[in-house]
Amino acid sequence: MAARKKIALVTGVSRKEGLGFAIASRMAAAGIDVILTARDIDKAKALAQQIDTGENLVFPLALDVSNEPMVMQLAELIKSSFGGLDILINNAGGVFDAGVNVLETDFTTTHEAFELNLFGAWRMIKFCLPLLQQRDAARIINISSGAGTFSDPHFGMAHHPSLVPSYALAKLALNGLTVKMAAALLPYKIDVNAVDPGFVATYPGTKEMGAIDPAVAVEDIFWVTNLPAGTTGNLYKNRKQTGW
């Protein structure tokens, strides 16, 4: 009997230049079936067509991680269609409030940053847990950022050249969520880790600023999905555990 193929869910896949698309493409290239999600279903469908080679399945689905009923409906759909989930990659993120001093922050923007970067991942884990429990050695990967750390010498909390207070604090909280979820999910043998992919060239002009290609950054994320079972609660950068 052929081994059952793994299935991965990737959030925030809306642009070909984005990290989400690179993650979904890498998963598919490894023979993993992929549930590719974005707020705009037409964008998700178009990107899924570019990934699907016929050797694996790529399923485009609409998802707004800030919409709890939508997250719950997605989980039910995955349960009825696939039965379970091997890998959850919380990639959806954004609200990059560049150049804003923390004393000048518009709290509407701050709420949006936390809703997308923190609560979105939190919701996905909560409502996808029954799906992950159906698989052996399921993995959750939270895509974090050096902006949410104290240790990154270039983009850390006290060093980021563009300030980004709301984004940075939301990513800092995401790192904390990773630790809390790792402890909570130990009884289920579900590993939860975070990855700082570094400065990734997902927008025009960033490559000239020293950003790395998404295809390069995604290899570190894929590496974390294949760590030995029981490796959990950590933040990784360049395939090394790092402080935050």
Side-chain angles (χ1 to χ4, degrees):
M1 180 181 295
R4 179 188 55 79
K5 292 185 70 175
K6 289 184 177 182
I7 185 162
L9 168 60
V10 184
T11 66
V13 187
S14 60
R15 298 183 303 113
K16 186 175 181 180
E17 302 80 11
L19 186 60
F21 181 76
I23 295 170
S25 298
R26 183 64 180 87
M27 293 290 164
I32 299 170
D33 290 342
V34 179
I35 300 171
L36 179 157
T37 69
R39 290 177 179 177
D40 187 325
I41 186 59
D42 291 333
K43 290 182 179 179
K45 288 179 178 179
L47 292 173
Q49 290 178 351
Q50 295 184 52
I51 296 173
D52 199 342
T53 64
E55 297 181 2
N56 56 279
L57 299 176
V58 181
F59 306 91
L61 294 175
L63 175 65
D64 179 353
V65 297
S66 66
N67 185 322
E68 188 163 305
M70 200 172 189
V71 173
M72 295 172 68
Q73 290 170 8
L74 178 78
E76 287 299 318
L77 177 59
I78 294 172
K79 180 181 178 180
S80 62
S81 300
F82 310 108
L85 191 63
D86 296 279
I87 303 169
L88 168 61
I89 299 186
N90 288 311
N91 170 71
V95 192
F96 200 73
D97 51 341
V100 178
N101 185 288
V102 69
L103 294 173
E104 301 169 347
T105 299
D106 176 350
F107 284 116
T108 298
T109 300
T110 303
H111 279 284
E112 291 175 354
F114 273 77
E115 190 64 59
L116 183 55
N117 295 285
L118 174 65
F119 297 128
W122 202 331
R123 280 190 197 91
M124 291 301 298
I125 295 171
K126 179 178 178 180
F127 292 110
C128 288
L129 177 58
L131 303 170
L132 295 159
Q133 287 178 283
Q134 299 302 313
R135 302 294 197 248
D136 295 328
R139 309 295 171 89
I140 299 171
I141 309 296
N142 295 324
I143 305 302
S144 188
S145 167
T149 71
F150 296 98
S151 59
D152 190 295
H154 303 293
F155 298 103
M157 299 292 290
H159 309 292
H160 200 295
S162 297
L163 302 178
V164 295
S166 299
Y167 177 82
L169 289 167
K171 289 297 188 181
L172 178 66
L174 179 63
N175 291 333
L177 177 70
T178 300
V179 174
K180 284 291 190 182
M181 281 296 181
L185 298 185
L186 276 176
Y188 305 109
K189 297 182 179 180
I190 298 172
D191 294 338
V192 188
N193 289 292
V195 178
D196 169 12
F199 183 27
V200 185
T202 56
Y203 287 95
T206 51
K207 188 173 183 179
E208 290 73 17
M209 297 167 61
I212 61 175
D213 190 275
V216 174
V218 78
E219 291 300 327
D220 290 345
I221 298 167
F222 187 72
W223 177 81
V224 173
T225 67
N226 289 289
L227 287 171
T231 306
T232 191
N234 304 316
L235 172 64
Y236 292 92
K237 183 176 183 180
N238 298 328
R239 306 191 188 188
K240 295 180 181 179
Q241 185 177 342
T242 186
W244 59 273

